[in-house]
Amino acid sequence: MMKKIILLLAIVLTSSYGKADDRTDYQLQDSVRIIKKKLEIGQKGERIYYSDIQSIDGDLLSFDSLNSLNSLQSLQDLNLSSLDLLNDLDLSSPESFESLEEVKNLAELRNYTELEIVTNNNQKKKFVFNTRSSSGKNDKSSDKPAKTDKKTFSNISAIDVTHKYGNIVTRESSSKQVEVEIQYFEKDGSIGECQISNTGGQLSILTVKTGGKRSNAKINYIISIPRGTAFDVNINYGDVKMIDNFNGALNANLSYSNLSAQKISNATIKARYSDVEIAEAQDMNLSGAYSDYTITKVRNVISSGDYNDCQFDEINTLTIDEKSTYGDLEIGTINSFSGKIYYADLVIENLLSDINVTSNYGDITIKSVSSKVKNIYIKGSYCDVEIGLPSGLSATLDANIIYGDLNIPRSYTTKFTESSEKNNRVIMRGQIGKGNPTAKIEVSNRYADIQFR
């Protein structure tokens, strides 16, 4: 309870002292994220939700287009009992979907254009709504580009893209030439503009006119990149999709944008209000704020930033540079972890070698520790710690707790050279397990417990 109260006070103080011009920006994006979360509706093992915003234009930026939501109260009256019927529908036909009164009102969410239905067997079906402008009239935009240009460049060693309002798709090419396809989308009689230049083998692509209230046009880029070419992208309000394996150096600066990739080599990614999904990577440097990182397999990661949630299924080394605050870490299997985390929970499924972490106001859970683990060093404050040790482990133990408890199951063989509990302080020094110690465990905590299991 004490941790929750202090966390709440910290959030209130942070909000109170924020800059006025930034606060509006944050509130907008947070509201969009909250809406997306609230639209997850479960019914008999199924859920229905809006999963994509195809474009964020002047209407959404002014927030007028979301007024019809009425705080999402209308969703409470929906009868979702007939969702089973959706499996029998031809979802390519808008008429078949809109005939269902139970979910017809969801079409009022005009800027959320893609409806995704996930069934019990994890199969997905999609339905795309026609979007409307804030005036309620049919939009003049089209899914097909109004104009397409194709350009080819030779002897390029690096590509630099600065883009706003639109998507970027990259493919790795066996060719030595860079091919760029530019798709111009017209909206309300307006069309975007871009500038492309080649200076000393540096290809620069700059979007100079898209988005905003006066011009709602957008541009998409499809870029074929020769193997080993460096790629630097700075994008706002758009997505980056890297279809093939990418072996060059990647530098991505994302703002209100998403990045997805299959396999990349070396990458530096700074994300703000963005989602990053990568299947496999080598070395990465991650930073930013208010973003989600999901990486299946990665070798080494250096991470920093605030309000970022990170999930790594398999990782060799994770280093928190400086500190990370207000963001949770979920890790499958990791060899080595080090860093400082504040107001963030850390969950590790399987620790192989060592951990050195300082945590304040966030819990640490290590579900399983390898019998080959070397060092466990945890310093906590208002941080409950839970560690699952293997039965055959032999390790030295140094535990120091103030205003908390140390719990060691009786199934562990313990031998203490020092054991005391005085003035709300618990000190335990000695050994866990039999035989010569092969690992070292040093844990300390204030105002919270440490549990071995």
Side-chain angles (χ1 to χ4, degrees):
M1 179 60 70
M2 179 64 70
K3 289 193 290 184
K4 293 181 180 178
I5 293 173
I6 293 175
L7 176 58
L8 178 59
L9 290 174
I11 294 174
V12 171
L13 289 175
T14 303
S15 302
S16 300
Y17 290 99
K19 295 182 180 180
D21 53 346
D22 290 340
R23 184 167 57 248
T24 302
D25 195 15
Y26 290 171
Q27 287 175 346
L28 166 63
Q29 185 65 15
D30 285 340
S31 299
V32 173
R33 284 178 173 270
I34 290 170
I35 289 167
K36 291 173 70 177
K37 292 292 185 182
K38 286 186 177 180
L39 284 175
E40 291 192 9
I41 306 168
Q43 179 70 24
K44 295 182 178 179
E46 301 183 356
R47 66 184 187 275
I48 182 170
Y49 59 96
Y50 286 83
S51 62
D52 189 31
I53 303 177
Q54 291 186 348
S55 65
I56 302 178
D57 55 21
D59 297 331
L60 183 54
L61 289 178
S62 66
F63 219 67
D64 293 335
S65 60
L66 298 177
N67 289 338
S68 62
L69 292 178
N70 294 325
S71 302
L72 299 175
Q73 292 178 357
S74 60
L75 295 178
Q76 298 177 0
D77 299 326
L78 290 175
N79 178 11
L80 299 177
S81 60
S82 63
L83 283 181
D84 293 338
L85 297 175
L86 294 175
N87 294 325
D88 301 323
L89 288 177
D90 178 11
L91 296 180
S92 62
S93 171
E95 291 77 14
S96 64
F97 187 90
E98 292 181 353
S99 63
L100 289 176
E101 295 294 334
E102 291 82 354
V103 290
K104 184 176 181 181
N105 290 334
L106 291 175
E108 294 297 324
L109 298 168
R110 294 165 296 182
N111 282 286
Y112 289 78
T113 57
E114 185 175 286
L115 177 68
E116 191 172 84
I117 300 155
V118 182
T119 61
N120 284 322
N121 56 6
N122 210 28
Q123 293 180 346
K124 296 183 178 180
K125 298 181 180 181
K126 294 182 178 180
F127 179 87
V128 179
F129 289 102
N130 292 324
T131 59
R132 294 177 179 269
S133 64
S134 59
S135 63
K137 298 180 181 180
N138 286 333
D139 204 341
K140 296 181 181 180
S141 63
S142 171
D143 291 336
K144 296 182 180 180
K147 183 178 72 171
T148 300
D149 288 342
K150 294 184 179 181
K151 300 180 183 293
T152 302
F153 304 89
S154 301
N155 300 319
I156 300 298
S157 59
I159 302 172
D160 187 343
V161 181
T162 301
H163 187 36
K164 190 173 184 179
Y165 296 102
N167 302 325
I168 299 173
V169 177
T170 70
R171 298 186 177 96
E172 188 171 77
S173 172
S174 58
S175 170
K176 295 183 179 180
Q177 294 182 320
V178 174
E179 298 178 358
V180 181
E181 179 179 323
I182 311 163
Q183 299 178 342
Y184 299 88
F185 292 83
E186 181 181 1
K187 190 169 185 181
D188 297 332
S190 176
I191 196 167
E193 298 176 6
C194 70
Q195 296 175 352
I196 301 180
S197 62
N198 179 6
T199 305
Q202 171 98 13
L203 181 65
S204 297
I205 303 173
L206 173 64
T207 303
V208 294
K209 180 184 176 183
T210 52
K213 293 184 178 180
R214 295 182 180 179
S215 170
N216 292 322
K218 72 173 184 177
I219 293 177
N220 288 347
Y221 297 103
I222 301 175
I223 308 173
S224 294
I225 303 177
R227 182 182 177 89
T229 303
F231 183 49
D232 192 324
V233 57
N234 191 322
I235 184 170
N236 295 346
Y237 304 103
D239 293 341
V240 178
K241 185 173 183 180
M242 310 184 78
I243 295 178
D244 303 315
N245 298 343
F246 185 77
N247 292 279
L250 171 65
N251 184 11
N253 191 340
L254 313 172
S255 183
Y256 301 93
S257 304
N258 301 324
L259 183 147
S260 62
Q262 292 299 313
K263 185 176 181 180
I264 60 178
S265 182
N266 300 319
T268 298
I269 301 176
K270 183 177 181 180
R272 179 173 175 266
Y273 291 104
S274 302
D275 292 339
V276 176
E277 294 185 8
I278 298 172
E280 187 174 350
Q282 292 296 313
D283 299 325
M284 303 189 69
N285 192 319
L286 309 178
S287 63
Y290 301 94
S291 297
D292 293 341
Y293 288 97
T294 304
I295 302 176
T296 304
K297 183 178 181 181
V298 60
R299 186 173 65 180
N300 301 315
V301 172
I302 298 176
S303 178
S304 63
D306 301 326
Y307 300 94
N308 296 320
D309 289 339
C310 298
Q311 179 178 332
F312 306 100
D313 288 352
E314 184 178 342
I315 181 172
N316 180 50
T317 301
L318 174 60
T319 302
I320 304 296
D321 193 17
E322 296 180 359
K323 65 179 181 179
S324 179
T325 61
Y326 300 102
D328 296 335
L329 283 167
E330 295 184 14
I331 300 172
T333 299
I334 185 171
N335 186 58
S336 177
F337 176 91
S338 63
K340 297 179 180 180
I341 54 177
Y342 297 159
Y343 302 96
D345 292 338
L346 169 63
V347 178
I348 296 176
E349 295 289 336
N350 187 22
L351 175 65
L352 299 181
S353 182
D354 57 83
I355 183 172
N356 186 333
V357 60
T358 299
S359 177
N360 293 342
Y361 306 98
D363 297 337
I364 295 176
T365 302
I366 305 175
K367 296 184 178 181
S368 175
V369 171
S370 169
S371 58
K372 297 181 180 180
V373 71
K374 299 299 182 183
N375 296 288
I376 297 176
Y377 177 85
I378 298 175
K379 182 179 180 180
S381 180
Y382 299 92
C383 164
D384 287 332
V385 177
E386 184 176 333
I387 304 173
L389 298 177
S391 57
L393 179 68
S394 179
T396 60
L397 174 65
D398 187 339
N400 192 329
I401 305 174
I402 300 175
Y403 290 101
D405 295 327
L406 174 65
N407 298 309
I408 303 176
R410 293 182 179 180
S411 57
Y412 288 105
T413 300
T414 57
K415 182 180 179 181
F416 295 112
T417 57
E418 181 179 355
S419 176
S420 66
E421 183 174 350
K422 185 178 181 181
N423 296 330
N424 298 309
R425 182 168 189 165
V426 177
I427 296 177
M428 294 285 187
R429 293 187 176 97
Q431 179 178 332
I432 294 180
K434 300 178 181 179
N436 294 326
T438 58
K440 182 179 180 180
I441 301 174
E442 185 175 344
V443 290
S444 63
N445 212 345
R446 297 170 67 247
Y447 301 98
D449 301 331
I450 297 176
Q451 169 76 52
F452 291 101
R453 60 174 180 79

